[in-house]
Each structure stands twice: as structure tokens, then as C-alpha cells.
């Protein structure tokens, strides 16, 4: 694959790599993304996914939200793939500083990554809206319909950032800081169209910006190296 040799060299020489990824990082683990041909946007629902995954929809049509959420977002048994594992390995070797992700699946942590900035939250964390009691993934999976609190009966909400909701500013500032100071920035498996997360790319000041994506992205033109391929396959070829 074109460009792999350059990437191998840059990774070999650096101890200040930062990774920024999206849903495409987890498709090889069996979790569909939004915008690929077999992604969620091309499947037919009564409402488009961005409507269902909005704050207004969650508040007004909670049952319908959870039908979609159960079906498509709570993928059980997904395991980290070669991309997640390689990133954890690079961190353990002291070469990678942080993984910044738009994903909500928790697979980077499962792979062993320690510094993971989850811009859009996680399906692993859930809270009762009334009394704020914490619930894990298993509770959400085992609840048919709308999950409610065992203690107070309040509706449980996943700690994921829905459309119309703001991002956590502390996490965002940390991400900006890592990216602004990175030597090599690897961006992978993201269409780079969901803002404000996609705007993070503009904080990078170096000259080793790598984009790894199956299809072209909105920002291929700003990359120093573009690799079009499956990210698990690409990353597994790194030392
Ligand atoms: P997206 O807009 O669906 O884009 C995914 C991109 O990844 C597309 O350009 C694909 O071509 C590309 N892609 C798919 N598979 C691979 C692969 N194996 N290797 C390389 N590239 C691949 O997703 P974004 O992350 O850009 O959009 C942001 C949304 C999607 C965030 O809010 C996420 O929370 C949300 N999302 C997350 C998950 C998850 O947690 N796994 C799943 C689905 C959606």
C-alpha cells in the first residue's frame, strides 16, 4: 500500500505521536459507522440517525430513541481490532501520547490504551437523570425498552454527547493541547465532517499529518501523507 513505508519511518523516529480517530476505527470490530455505504445513514429508519440521536428526540420520543440505541449502538461482544491494539502498544512503548476519539464504544480502553480522550462520551457510562446513580453497559443491555433507575425510577441516560448537546470543554482543551504539541498526528477512520471535533485537525502545527481512511475525506488536501485503506490492516504493518 502506498505511503506505508513513510508512515513506518515517521512512527519509528517519533516519541510524540497523537492519534485522532472516528467510527471507521471500529468497523473492523463489527460496529457500523455512520457514513460508509453499509453505515447507519444508508439503512432505512423512520427518522434519520442524526434526528434520533438528538437531545430533543431523546427527551420527546425516549422509547423510540432506545429502540434504535439498543439495536445499533449497544453492540455486544465487540473486540478491539489491530488498530486499537497497535495504538495501545505504541503508548506502552512511550511513543504515543494520547488517543483522541469520537467513538463511544470503549474499545481503546479494552485494548489497553490509558490516555483516551472520549470527545463524544461512552456507552459504558450511564446515569439516572433524577438521582444521578451510575449504571454500566450490562444494565443498559439487559433493560428492554426505556431503562429506569433501580432506586428512584428515573429514566437513565447514556453519557454520550447527542446532537444539540455541547462537548466537555475540559476534554476538548486537553485534545487541542495534545494535537498542538504533537510531532506526528495520525488521523484515522473519520469522515471529518462532524464539528466541533473535526476542527481539531486545524490545531496541528507540524509537518507529519497522516490521514488513514477507506474513502477520501473532506480534508485530504491538508495531509502530508494520505493512505486509503483499512486502518486495522495499515496499523498492523507498523513496528
Ligand atoms: P463517519 O462519519 O461514519 O465516518 C467514518 C469514516 O471511516 C468514513 O469516511 C469511512 O470511509 C471510514 N472507514 C470505515 N471503515 C474504515 C476502516 N476499516 N478503515 C479506515 N477507514 C474506515 O464517522 P465519524 O467518526 O467521522 O463521525 C463522527 C460520529 C460517528 C461520532 O459522533 C461518533 O460518535 C459516531 N459513531 C461512533 C461509533 C463508535 O463508537 N464505534 C459508531 C458509529 C458512529
Amino acid at each position: 500500500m502506498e505511503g506505508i513505508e513513510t508512515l513506518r519511518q515517521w512512527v519509528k523516529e517519533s516519541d510524540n505521536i497523537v492519534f485522532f480517530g472516528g467510527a471507521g476505527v471500529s468497523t473492523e470490530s463489527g460496529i457500523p459507522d455512520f457514513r460508509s455505504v453499509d453505515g447507519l445513514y444508508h439503512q432505512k429508519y423512520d427518522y434519520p440517525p442524526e434526528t434520533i440521536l438528538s437531545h430533543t428526540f431523546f427527551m420527546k420520543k425516549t422509547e423510540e430513541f432506545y429502540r434504535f440505541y439498543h439495536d445499533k449502538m449497544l453492540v455486544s461482544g465487540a473486540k478491539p481490532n489491530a488498530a486499537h491494539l497497535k495504538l495501545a502498544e505504541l503508548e506502552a512503548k512511550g511513543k504515543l501520547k494520547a488517543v483522541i476519539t469520537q467513538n463511544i464504544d470503549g474499545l481503546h480502553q479494552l485494548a489497553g490504551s490509558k490516555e483516551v480522550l472520549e470527545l463524544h462520551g461512552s456507552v459504558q457510562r450511564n446515569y439516572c437523570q433524577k438521582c444521578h446513580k451510575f449504571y454500566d453497559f450490562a444494565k443498559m443491555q439487559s433493560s428492554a425498552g426505556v431503562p429506569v433507575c433501580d432506586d428512584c425510577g428515573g429514566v437513565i441516560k447514556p453519557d454520550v454527547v447527542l446532537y444539540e448537546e455541547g462537548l466537555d470543554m475540559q476534554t476538548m482543551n486537553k485534545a487541542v493541547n495534545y494535537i498542538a504539541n504533537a510531532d506526528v498526528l495520525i488521523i484515522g477512520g473519520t469522515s471529518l465532517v462532524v464539528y466541533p471535533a473535526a476542527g481539531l485537525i486545524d490545531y496541528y502545527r507540524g509537518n507529519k499529518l497522516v490521514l488513514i481512511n477507506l474513502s477520501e475525506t473532506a480534508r485530504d488536501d491538508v495531509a502530508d501523507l494520505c493512505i486509503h485503506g483499512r486502518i486495522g490492516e495499515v496499523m498492523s504493518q507498523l513496528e
Side-chain angles (χ1 to χ4, degrees):
M1 215 178 287
E2 219 174 311
I4 296 261
E5 211 31 66
T6 308
L7 177 61
R8 281 166 71 107
Q9 195 59 30
W10 287 356
V11 167
K12 204 169 157 189
E13 288 166 1
S14 179
D15 63 357
N16 184 6
I17 304 165
V18 170
F19 181 83
F20 172 43
V25 175
S26 293
T27 54
E28 287 164 78
S29 295
I31 302 179
D33 64 8
F34 279 174
R35 291 178 185 78
S36 287
V37 276
D38 50 355
L40 295 180
Y41 282 6
H42 295 271
Q43 302 175 17
K44 289 281 165 269
Y45 298 99
D46 293 344
Y47 303 89
E50 63 264 67
T51 303
I52 304 176
L53 295 172
S54 70
H55 183 81
T56 307
F57 199 90
F58 177 82
M59 299 310 279
K60 289 197 174 149
K61 295 181 187 286
T62 317
E63 249 184 87
E64 206 152 342
F65 171 92
Y66 269 115
R67 247 200 317 274
F68 177 89
Y69 189 79
H70 267 289
D71 262 15
K72 299 296 169 190
M73 311 302 280
L74 291 178
V75 181
S76 63
K79 292 197 178 62
N81 63 50
H84 300 104
L85 295 170
K86 180 58 70 178
L87 290 165
E89 186 188 317
L90 290 173
E91 183 187 33
K93 282 182 180 168
K95 298 179 73 61
L96 182 127
K97 299 275 188 223
V99 167
I100 302 161
T101 184
Q102 298 166 85
N103 293 349
I104 55 173
D105 53 37
L107 288 183
H108 285 294
Q109 289 91 336
L110 212 57
S113 283
K114 299 281 180 266
E115 184 67 344
V116 182
L117 306 187
E118 293 173 314
L119 300 177
H120 294 161
S122 173
V123 296
Q124 307 287 337
R125 297 184 298 269
N126 308 277
Y127 295 93
C128 168
Q129 289 189 109
K130 248 191 185 161
C131 74
H132 306 291
K133 183 174 174 175
F134 171 86
Y135 288 97
D136 63 9
F137 185 82
K139 163 75 178 176
M140 301 303 273
Q141 250 194 336
S142 63
S143 315
V146 177
V148 290
C149 181
D150 297 336
D151 289 356
C152 76
V155 171
I156 300 172
K157 185 174 183 290
D159 184 18
V160 301
V161 179
L162 300 175
Y163 287 95
E164 304 163 354
E165 292 178 345
L167 272 63
D168 177 65
M169 277 326 285
Q170 221 180 327
T171 311
M172 212 40 191
N173 288 340
K174 240 175 137 179
V176 165
N177 207 38
Y178 274 123
I179 288 178
N181 293 300
D183 166 26
V184 179
L185 175 64
I186 305 176
I187 300 183
T190 169
S191 55
L192 289 173
V193 297
V194 177
Y195 280 79
L200 282 175
I201 188 174
D202 297 321
Y203 291 95
Y204 179 63
R205 296 177 293 195
N207 59 359
K208 294 184 187 105
L209 172 53
V210 186
L211 277 188
I212 307 170
N213 211 65
L214 259 187
S215 54
E216 281 181 19
T217 75
R219 305 299 299 274
D220 279 14
D221 55 325
V222 301
D224 298 297
L225 178 64
C226 247
I227 300 178
H228 289 136
R230 286 156 64 89
I231 190 157
E233 263 169 43
V234 173
M235 297 296 284
S236 62
Q237 293 176 59
L238 302 179
E239 278 166 39

